[in-house]
Amino acid sequence: MREFLFLLFIVSLVSGRPQKDPRGPNIIDETADFGTPEHDNRVHTELTQLTGPEIARLIGSDYFNGSVLPCDNETAPGQWMVYCSGRLLQAVMAVKLYPDSKTFVDQPMKVNQTGESIMEHFEKRFPKPIEQISKKEVAEFVDEFFDKEGNELDVCELPDWKPITEKLAQIKDDTYLAFAQRLHFIWIQLCRQMKPEVKEDPFRFSLIYVPYQFILPGGRFREFYYWDAYWIVKGLIASELYSTARMMILNFAHIIETYGFIPNGGRVYYLRRSQPPFFAPMVYEYYLATQDTQLVMDMIPVIEKEYIFWSQRRSVNITLETQEFNETVRMFQYHTEADTPRPESFREDVLSAEPFTTKSKKRAFFKDIGSAAESGWDFSSRWFKDHKNLTTIETTNIVPVDLNAFLCYNMNIMQFFYQLAGNPLKHMEWSSRLSNFRQDFTKVFYVPVRKGWYDYNLRTGSHNTDFFPSNAAPLFAQCYDPLNSQLAVDVYNQMENSGAFSMSGGIPTSMHKETNQQWDYPNGWSPLNHMIIEGLRKSLNPTLQQKAFVLAQKWLETNMQTFNVSNAMWEKYNVQEPQGKLATGGEYEVQAGFGWTNGAALDLIMTYSDRLEYKGPLLEGLVGTPPPRKSFSSSSSSSSSSTSESSSTITPSSTTGSSSKLLAIITVTIFYFLF
């Protein structure tokens, strides 16, 4: 009866409780003011001396002739002149028509309009210089020719969603059960599908068509995103939403077949850059959960096609000098071809590039900016020469340890898939490729004196040995010999010595404290926390497995405590704060939703479902008055967390009744659909 009432309470709470103001004093740093120089993009503080007309003239300069555009007549023949270049785009950015530059390039053209006709109207109406066009004139023109952003998508129903699942019912701790149940409901809010007109009249939209419904991140991110989707898929699997996860994979397969790679996100202005390659890992995780070998067989050629993109368009030769001989190896790097301002951040990029006096330097800056966005880390001191200022960015000089670890993981998955497919020749081909790449990977990235893997700089011929969570990517991707457990211990010790594990709210993105960039201290992100936790959990060392559990508890409590006061999951968090506060920095306000945060949390809860026990202060916003505690025994070992420390594992006594939980599940399901 207790469990029945508790689950009824959760259902009613989720369906009826409004989201609190995210700027409440409980979770926002009281000194933060979104939109001010201190807590927004650095360009606001660097360029305060420029007047409005000066900014307009700067934005109206020629950035397009002779440049590689984010999309063009080949990749987006009906849209490029509106969403990736042109005077209309410049005028909208010059007058700052919207607080968020992304708003305009997400707006569809009105019915019966084309990109060519809109640009003809604009040139005829505004033959004068950009700086002479008023904000009122631009607003009227946009209202006349464009629809509101976001309306090209419909909210959708998840075909496989149930109010509670058998997996969720296995969570032993009441607080974590309540939290997981709330996260499970968020998938309903984030489900979207394309309206028919996106397929029927694609040239009106910056949105890239996909045939199946999908889970979006949330907030300003009104389309699918590539590497976000890996953690979303992990969360969908935790929620037993296997059909939805499969549709996400099929959408990405459609994109690869169409474009040869997966772009950063589902907009035409992303068609010159990708994101960390997690398509193969998505397929692998889905296979582990479903044993769907047919999907694996269907996806093998698609994964190979994406791998060719990275091999041919994102690789670089590195010459390694030794006392005996020089050796050249080929590694991967983030390196977009586009060298113009990003359309979704056009104003910000132009203002950031103002200190550069030549067109070639500006183009190099824009390429490095776009390449950093391809990494997913936009932006971080990791890419800066001086580790402080955006103007010193040199992404294209850096060979990143994480990207190469991810592609190492792709190779491992492919050799496994070919073995599964019964193709010994291709299995041996990919096994050999993996073995050779692991050796080269170690030669390029491993620094013996610092006992870890680090980004390699082509310009300096040296490594950046500062702490970044990316240093642990080889543990996550297992791009090393797992029998060498001491190597994993050394990497953990290096991270611990940096102070990265001393934060009360989780693992920060770096220890660089003065950049005001969102991928730096004190911000913590779900994919990076999850990646380190998983890397340690996968090791064969019991001590590191326990460290993973401790870090998982810390990150989950930050998520829960912030959810308790805001009723939302967030893109990133300030991990310096003991109770969890929202992060700041970057080009936009912190976003609620949030797909990958939701997915990472659900996956960690399910991984440690028989060990997690919340002992913190009462989270009234999450569960209200808690039900009576179950009785516990310490006799069971933790199978889900893959650790060997059964003596420290606590699990509820089985005598409290799987049958009563099953009855509660059935009753809640009936209640949900009736009321």
Side-chain angles (χ1 to χ4, degrees), residues 401-419:
V401 64
D402 52 352
L403 172 61
N404 285 274
F406 299 150
L407 283 158
C408 182
Y409 192 26
N410 275 244
M411 297 175 203
N412 200 2
I413 291 170
M414 284 299 284
Q415 66 85 20
F416 170 73
F417 281 171
Y418 273 119
Q419 184 180 44

Side-chain angles (χ1 to χ4, degrees), residues 296-297 300-302 304 411-431 433:
V296 171
M297 301 305 106
I300 283 177
V302 184
E304 287 220 41
M411 297 175 203
N412 200 2
I413 291 170
M414 284 299 284
Q415 66 85 20
F416 170 73
F417 281 171
Y418 273 119
Q419 184 180 44
L420 189 68
N423 190 330
L425 292 179
K426 295 293 286 186
H427 167 67
M428 288 300 298
E429 175 190 329
W430 281 92
S431 294
R433 181 178 287 128

Side-chain angles (χ1 to χ4, degrees), residues 73-372:
N73 191 51
E74 180 180 347
T75 57
Q79 306 108 307
W80 69 274
M81 68 289 294
V82 170
Y83 298 117
C84 291
S85 69
R87 293 180 71 247
L88 171 58
L89 176 64
Q90 290 173 296
V92 169
M93 300 301 164
V95 300
K96 199 172 185 180
L97 186 60
Y98 304 105
D100 187 344
S101 295
K102 187 175 183 294
T103 301
F104 170 68
V105 290
D106 287 359
Q107 292 180 332
M109 305 175 215
K110 286 187 181 292
V111 175
N112 298 324
Q113 296 294 339
T114 66
E116 292 89 344
S117 66
I118 288 174
M119 292 309 300
E120 288 176 5
H121 283 293
F122 184 82
E123 295 296 346
K124 184 176 181 179
R125 189 176 302 183
F126 303 111
K128 53 191 175 183
I130 293 291
E131 63 269 22
Q132 295 179 15
I133 306 174
S134 71
K135 186 171 184 176
K136 181 176 182 294
E137 289 174 319
V138 174
E140 290 174 348
F141 186 89
V142 170
D143 287 344
E144 181 179 348
F145 289 97
F146 292 86
D147 289 327
K148 183 174 174 56
E149 71 283 356
N151 287 343
E152 66 270 54
L153 293 170
D154 278 328
V155 175
C156 52
E157 293 185 6
L158 298 169
D160 46 352
W161 190 89
K162 297 176 290 187
I164 192 167
T165 69
E166 291 184 18
K167 277 189 177 181
L168 293 178
Q170 299 305 311
I171 300 169
K172 306 304 183 184
D173 180 82
D174 293 324
T175 302
Y176 278 105
L177 174 60
F179 182 47
Q181 186 69 16
R182 298 290 293 277
L183 302 186
H184 180 62
F185 271 77
I186 290 177
W187 298 131
I188 299 173
Q189 304 168 22
L190 298 178
C191 182
R192 296 292 185 275
Q193 61 188 10
M194 304 280 173
K195 288 185 176 179
E197 51 263 38
V198 180
K199 180 181 180 181
E200 296 163 0
D201 194 7
F203 295 144
R204 286 179 43 225
F205 302 89
S206 66
L207 192 68
I208 296 173
Y209 172 78
V210 289
Y212 302 101
Q213 62 193 50
F214 58 93
I215 302 295
L216 47 71
R220 73 194 286 268
F221 302 110
R222 295 173 284 263
E223 53 280 318
F224 68 79
Y225 280 81
Y226 185 5
W227 78 316
D228 294 60
Y230 172 77
W231 285 274
I232 290 173
V233 165
K234 291 281 284 182
L236 293 175
I237 290 170
S239 286
E240 298 184 33
L241 295 170
Y242 304 120
S243 295
T244 303
R246 188 175 189 274
M247 286 189 283
M248 296 271 291
I249 290 169
L250 292 176
N251 280 338
F252 285 126
H254 170 82
I255 292 294
I256 293 172
E257 295 288 14
T258 303
Y259 297 103
F261 76 109
I262 300 175
N264 184 144
R267 298 280 174 179
V268 296
Y269 52 75
Y270 289 139
L271 284 173
R272 291 285 186 194
R273 67 182 198 249
S274 187
Q275 270 193 333
F278 274 93
F279 178 66
M282 286 183 228
V283 178
Y284 177 66
E285 295 291 346
Y286 177 80
Y287 169 75
L288 291 181
T290 65
Q291 299 296 298
D292 185 348
T293 55
Q294 185 57 54
L295 184 72
V296 171
M297 301 305 106
D298 294 341
M299 292 301 109
I300 283 177
V302 184
I303 296 170
E304 287 220 41
K305 189 171 185 177
E306 189 199 23
Y307 182 82
I308 291 171
F309 162 82
W310 288 97
S311 297
Q312 294 183 352
R313 293 173 57 183
R314 294 295 188 271
S315 60
V316 61
N317 286 330
I318 302 172
T319 300
L320 304 174
E321 298 181 3
T322 66
Q323 293 180 348
E324 299 176 355
F325 60 90
N326 292 346
E327 180 183 7
T328 299
V329 299
R330 196 155 186 83
M331 290 285 125
F332 302 94
Q333 69 169 167
Y334 299 112
H335 199 128
T336 180
E337 297 91 349
D339 56 5
T340 64
R342 295 167 298 152
E344 79 281 10
S345 300
F346 195 96
R347 180 182 176 94
E348 291 82 357
D349 286 0
V350 168
L351 295 181
S352 295
E354 191 271 341
F356 300 106
T357 56
T358 67
K359 182 172 289 189
S360 62
K361 289 183 177 179
K362 286 181 184 289
R363 285 179 176 174
F365 176 77
F366 295 139
K367 184 183 288 283
D368 281 315
I369 286 283
S371 299

Side-chain angles (χ1 to χ4, degrees), residues 550-562:
V550 171
L551 291 171
Q553 281 184 305
K554 184 185 294 187
W555 181 249
L556 287 170
E557 288 196 9
T558 291
N559 286 196
M560 280 202 303
Q561 289 164 353
T562 310

